[in-house]
Amino acid sequence: MNSANQARSPITESDEELAALVNDLSPLLLALTMVHMSGDMGVIRSGIQTFPPAFNGDTWGSISESDKARVRAEALEVIKAWRDAGCPEPYRPTEAERHEMINFLIGMEMEPEYVELICEDMSYNSPDDRAFHWNKPVSEEAKAGCGTVIIGAGMSGILLGMRLKQAGLPFVIVEKRDGVGGTWYANQYPGLRVDVPSHAYSYSFLQDHKWPHLYSWQTDLLGYFRKCFDQFGISDHVRFNTEVTGADWDDEKSEWKVSVRGKDGSTEILTSRALVSAQGFFNATYTPTFEGADRFKGAKFHSAEWRHDVELAGKRIAVIGNAATTLQMAPQLAGIASQLTIFQRSPSWTFINPEYAREIRSSEQWAIKHLPYYSGWNRAAVFNWSLDKMAMVMGYDPDWPQDGKSTSQLNEFSRQRALADYHKHLDERPDLLEKLLPDYPPYVKRPTIGSGNFFDCLKRPNVELCTDAIVRMTEQGIVDATGKNHEFDVIIYATGFKVQEYLSPMVIRGRGGIEINQFWQDRPGGYLGITVPNFPNFFMIYGPGNNLGYNGNLVFSSETQTNYIAACLRYMVEERRKVLDVREEVFDDYMERTAEKLKEFVWSTPYGTTYYRNASGRVTTNTPWTLLEAWQWTRDINPADYREEALTEPARSR
């Protein structure tokens, strides 16, 4: 495990080599690492004006050119002095000094509470600031009586498995596929990459991966999670090629009976004290039904079920859908297809990130290995903590003119910024500009992030954007609403997932045999997005209401949720409880507060269509809470939130 300070290599570079390296590094990060090398806060307090990140992944802070030159000149002298002194133990700033450094880095005043949060996320104090610990001595027999079944071996499942292994608690991870990685294993379409900077999209305690790109490709992400899985040493706890079909709570025995099915069709019942769903909700693919689809003689498949056996070079390809997947996939397909036609039902807002496609520079790799705490501050910088304070980017302001174009001043700022990029790339093609410009405010639905290559690929002579509805399919291809017959060799569905069908296709039954979707009706969710009344000892990671609304990333979210689940299990073992069942009044209060808070955001407006809202118009996916609030609320269990039942005889997992 590696902490915020990964500087393990001595500096042997000459003055000239150091000057070249420093000239290629972020002045903000140089200023912060200087503090650790010199023990001097002077550069932080020198009046340099910093600003919030201009885009996700920005580490430069928009400071003036003169300030950049000044910081680099000072940094070069500090680094040389530290090198000449033999790279001594770096200075550890006080909490007050770290607060100043965070404000400098983020470009705005952050409350003191953020100091602990940000430092914990970069593992400032130890290699694993979120490691599991017991509050009191417990027997091995007590641990053995608190077994857990975890559904899914993706990023969240293997994380919880690692925490439970730290605790010495028994567990089994049931994974329907033949490998780990979750969405990064299932999705393998060309062009797939993450839309969060890689140095933040990683476990807080395993940051030493040498990412080749600022935004990593799917193969690199899958490699990272496989490496983590191997390092955690939990392979003996995983059952691959096994699917959970359902689970029933046994009130008499206070345990879960989990039904599983093997790849060969064999079935089995697993029993455990606790049950955790770590499958997320980008799990079950959605494929729309079209008349005549079964008649098409070519290959057709969903982008999340990629057919590597289908040859695409030189083929006529149809892509149905025009959201994030298509934005990433289309430029790759356009380069090899004889014809690519994209069928768009409605346009998505696309934000151009100028560094989306860039590689991590060799100077940055050098700085992480040689400059104290450079890695930790780099993680903090690309995390965009400032968005916690800028929620109105996605906010609804009733005093703002509600014309359907934007919902607040900051929301309008985002729209204007996006419009400028649309015009920059598409003014020469007014036909495409008209088709691609959304008629709803930014962030109503999940925006797409890219480098601009999607816009460029649409201008290729072998690419067509079709906005006419699909009427039916034929043996040869697709007929649109104008009657035009498009002929294809391959049809690819980039149509997303059954997001509103939570826990599908599993059937989870709680007390009295009530099925969880029956309990939820049109209000799916959990207390803190994690626990549900009448479903004792059942927990969800990345369940309904836990999709990140406007800040953070899913790794951070999973870490906070797994810490809370681990705290619940710790309490059960330490206090000899066989059942924790969240009180309905606690659940209802949280759900009502969340629903009220969601009204402050663009997702709750009637503009546009989005998978964030269910059929009744309720936002069921997103959380409106800040990262600070989510972190504070999940640090430990409040026993008063739960109905408890004491343990008389330890129940073993089997």
Side-chain angles (χ1 to χ4, degrees):
M1 293 185 178
N2 288 83
S3 64
N5 183 19
Q6 295 176 33
R8 299 289 183 269
S9 302
I11 297 176
T12 58
E13 285 74 14
S14 67
D15 291 359
E16 292 75 17
E17 290 170 325
L18 288 178
L21 287 164
V22 166
N23 196 51
D24 199 35
L25 294 173
S26 158
L28 291 187
L29 301 181
L30 283 171
L32 295 170
T33 193
M34 284 167 59
V35 173
H36 294 285
M37 288 185 280
S38 67
D40 184 359
M41 290 282 289
V43 68
I44 305 298
R45 297 168 176 167
S46 63
I48 293 174
Q49 179 66 54
T50 60
F51 301 88
F55 52 86
N56 198 9
D58 174 27
T59 60
W60 295 75
S62 304
I63 67 175
S64 69
E65 291 301 319
S66 60
D67 283 338
K68 290 177 185 176
R70 173 186 164 193
V71 170
R72 287 186 173 123
E74 292 185 27
L76 178 59
E77 296 308 312
V78 169
I79 294 170
K80 289 193 293 185
W82 197 62
R83 174 201 61 189
D84 295 342
C87 302
E89 190 68 22
Y91 174 68
R92 299 268 294 177
T94 65
E95 183 174 350
E97 289 172 333
R98 277 180 276 138
H99 191 188
E100 288 184 69
M101 295 167 76
I102 287 170
N103 291 342
F104 176 87
L105 175 67
I106 295 174
M108 62 194 306
E109 179 71 28
M110 303 294 286
E111 286 91 342
E113 292 84 357
Y114 280 93
V115 177
E116 184 179 1
L117 168 56
I118 293 174
C119 288
E120 181 189 280
D121 187 72
M122 69 165 84
S123 287
Y124 180 85
N125 292 307
S126 72
D128 186 3
D129 283 357
R130 294 173 179 155
F132 183 94
H133 65 274
W134 292 102
N135 294 323
K136 61 173 70 172
V138 296
S139 68
E140 293 303 313
E141 184 181 33
K143 294 179 186 178
C146 193
T148 300
V149 169
I150 302 169
I151 305 169
M155 175 261 293
S156 299
I158 61 178
L159 170 63
L160 180 59
M162 185 274 288
R163 292 301 185 207
L164 298 188
K165 183 175 181 181
Q166 282 183 333
L169 293 172
F171 66 95
V172 60
I173 302 175
V174 182
E175 171 54 53
K176 65 182 179 181
R177 302 181 181 90
D178 60 4
V180 300
T183 188
W184 300 111
Y185 180 96
N187 289 269
Q188 298 181 12
Y189 61 81
L192 174 56
R193 69 193 314 163
V194 72
D195 59 5
V196 175
S198 304
H199 288 103
Y201 196 84
S202 53
Y203 296 127
S204 62
F205 49 87
L206 274 176
Q207 302 173 34
D208 64 329
H209 193 72
K210 189 175 180 180
W211 297 107
H213 294 86
L214 183 62
Y215 292 84
S216 287
W217 296 102
Q218 174 264 341
T219 50
D220 293 318
L221 290 161
L222 182 58
Y224 172 77
F225 289 115
R226 283 173 170 168
K227 182 184 83 168
C228 294
F229 175 73
D230 292 339
Q231 191 164 332
F232 294 165
I234 59 175
S235 59
D236 291 344
H237 295 264
V238 184
R239 295 184 57 168
F240 291 111
N241 295 309
T242 306
E243 183 175 9
V244 173
T245 58
D248 294 86
W249 173 254
D250 187 326
D251 231 345
E252 183 179 343
K253 294 184 177 180
S254 298
E255 65 183 16
W256 282 98
K257 297 184 182 300
V258 184
S259 302
V260 301
R261 181 176 57 224
K263 192 174 183 179
D264 60 359
S266 60
T267 60
E268 187 180 351
I269 302 294
L270 308 179
T271 62
S272 63
R273 180 72 70 205
L275 175 65
V276 180
S277 170
Q279 72 169 24
F281 56 71
F282 293 116
N283 180 58
T285 58
Y286 169 68
T287 302
T289 301
F290 295 109
E291 178 189 339
D294 57 341
R295 297 176 56 199
F296 179 63
K297 289 187 174 181
K300 63 180 188 294
F301 52 90
H302 195 282
S303 60
E305 298 164 344
W306 196 261
R307 290 272 306 275
H308 292 284
D309 63 314
V310 176
E311 177 59 56
L312 298 177
K315 299 299 176 63
R316 299 166 298 175
I317 303 172
V319 172
I320 301 175
N322 194 28
T325 297
T326 301
L327 177 129
Q328 295 183 332
M329 182 169 55
Q332 308 288 322
L333 297 178
I336 61 173
S338 62
Q339 171 64 34
L340 173 65
T341 302
I342 298 167
F343 289 87
Q344 172 185 281
R345 185 176 63 174
S346 63
S348 299
W349 278 109
T350 295
F351 291 97
I352 304 301
N353 186 320
E355 296 199 340
Y356 186 66
R358 85 162 173 88
E359 296 180 356
I360 300 297
R361 294 185 289 273
S362 59
S363 58
E364 294 170 301
Q365 304 286 19
W366 177 88
I368 288 171
K369 290 177 59 178
H370 293 83
L371 301 183
Y373 294 92
Y374 189 98
S375 57
W377 291 116
N378 180 65
R379 178 181 173 93
V382 300
F383 207 100
N384 273 12
W385 297 99
S386 59
L387 285 179
D388 247 12
K389 310 289 291 178
M390 300 168 65
M392 287 305 287
V393 168
M394 302 181 192
Y396 170 77
D397 180 1
D399 296 327
W400 182 257
Q402 296 299 321
D403 57 3
K405 295 181 178 179
S406 59
T407 55
S408 68
Q409 185 175 15
L410 277 178
N411 188 253
E412 174 64 17
F413 173 79
S414 293
R415 191 178 80 91
Q416 292 296 333
R417 181 174 172 181
L419 278 174
D421 285 327
Y422 274 70
H423 284 289
K424 176 182 177 181
H425 285 271
L426 297 171
D427 267 351
E428 65 189 84
R429 288 288 303 273
D431 58 319
L432 288 175
L433 185 62
E434 182 181 4
K435 290 179 178 181
L436 289 166
L437 266 180
D439 61 357
Y440 55 84
Y443 302 109
V444 164
K445 61 177 69 177
R446 184 174 181 263
T448 57
I449 310 296
S451 63
N453 64 339
F454 175 65
F455 291 153
D456 295 336
C457 102
L458 290 175
K459 292 182 282 188
R460 294 175 61 119
N462 67 326
V463 178
E464 178 186 3
L465 178 64
C466 181
T467 56
D468 299 308
I470 296 174
V471 173
R472 66 182 181 276
M473 292 184 180
T474 67
E475 292 183 356
Q476 290 77 34
I478 292 173
V479 178
D480 68 29
T482 70
K484 181 178 179 180
N485 184 24
H486 305 258
E487 295 188 355
F488 299 111
D489 304 302
V490 181
I491 296 175
I492 301 172
Y493 293 96
T495 46
F497 301 83
K498 298 176 182 177
V499 173
Q500 293 294 339
E501 297 181 20
Y502 295 104
L503 303 177
S504 173
M506 299 181 297
V507 178
I508 309 295
R509 298 185 180 91
R511 291 189 189 274
I514 187 170
E515 199 270 318
I516 197 164
N517 282 290
Q518 181 185 358
F519 172 81
W520 280 333
Q521 296 186 21
D522 74 338
R523 192 181 71 159
Y527 172 55
L528 306 178
I530 300 172
T531 60
V532 184
N534 299 309
F535 292 81
N537 305 351
F538 173 65
F539 308 93
M540 300 178 294
I541 306 174
Y542 195 32
N546 256 332
N547 189 52
L548 294 162
Y550 55 91
N551 199 3
N553 65 66
L554 292 180
V555 181
F556 173 88
S557 182
S558 290
E559 288 201 28
T560 59
Q561 292 164 45
T562 55
N563 285 359
Y564 183 80
I565 294 168
C568 289
L569 298 178
R570 176 176 60 210
Y571 177 82
M572 290 175 66
V573 173
E574 291 180 342
E575 303 303 323
R576 294 186 57 77
R577 299 291 187 262
K578 63 180 179 181
V579 168
L580 284 181
D581 191 0
V582 66
R583 298 180 182 276
E584 288 206 37
E585 62 270 24
V586 173
F587 169 83
D588 288 338
D589 173 70
Y590 178 82
M591 293 294 287
E592 289 165 9
R593 286 189 291 113
T594 299
E596 194 63 28
K597 186 70 174 177
L598 282 166
K599 294 177 183 178
E600 300 176 13
F601 291 87
V602 65
W603 324 307
S604 297
T605 66
Y607 308 127
T609 59
T610 175
Y611 68 70
Y612 297 158
R613 300 191 291 259
N614 65 9
S616 65
R618 183 190 298 273
V619 176
T620 64
T621 58
N622 290 7
T623 173
W625 307 111
T626 64
L627 297 178
L628 181 64
E629 289 166 324
W631 174 71
Q632 290 173 329
W633 296 343
T634 55
R635 300 193 78 186
D636 207 348
I637 178 180
N638 177 7
D641 292 337
Y642 290 85
R643 291 185 294 163
E644 307 175 23
E645 294 178 21
L647 185 67
T648 53
E649 295 294 332
R652 298 186 181 278
S653 176
R654 57 189 185 277

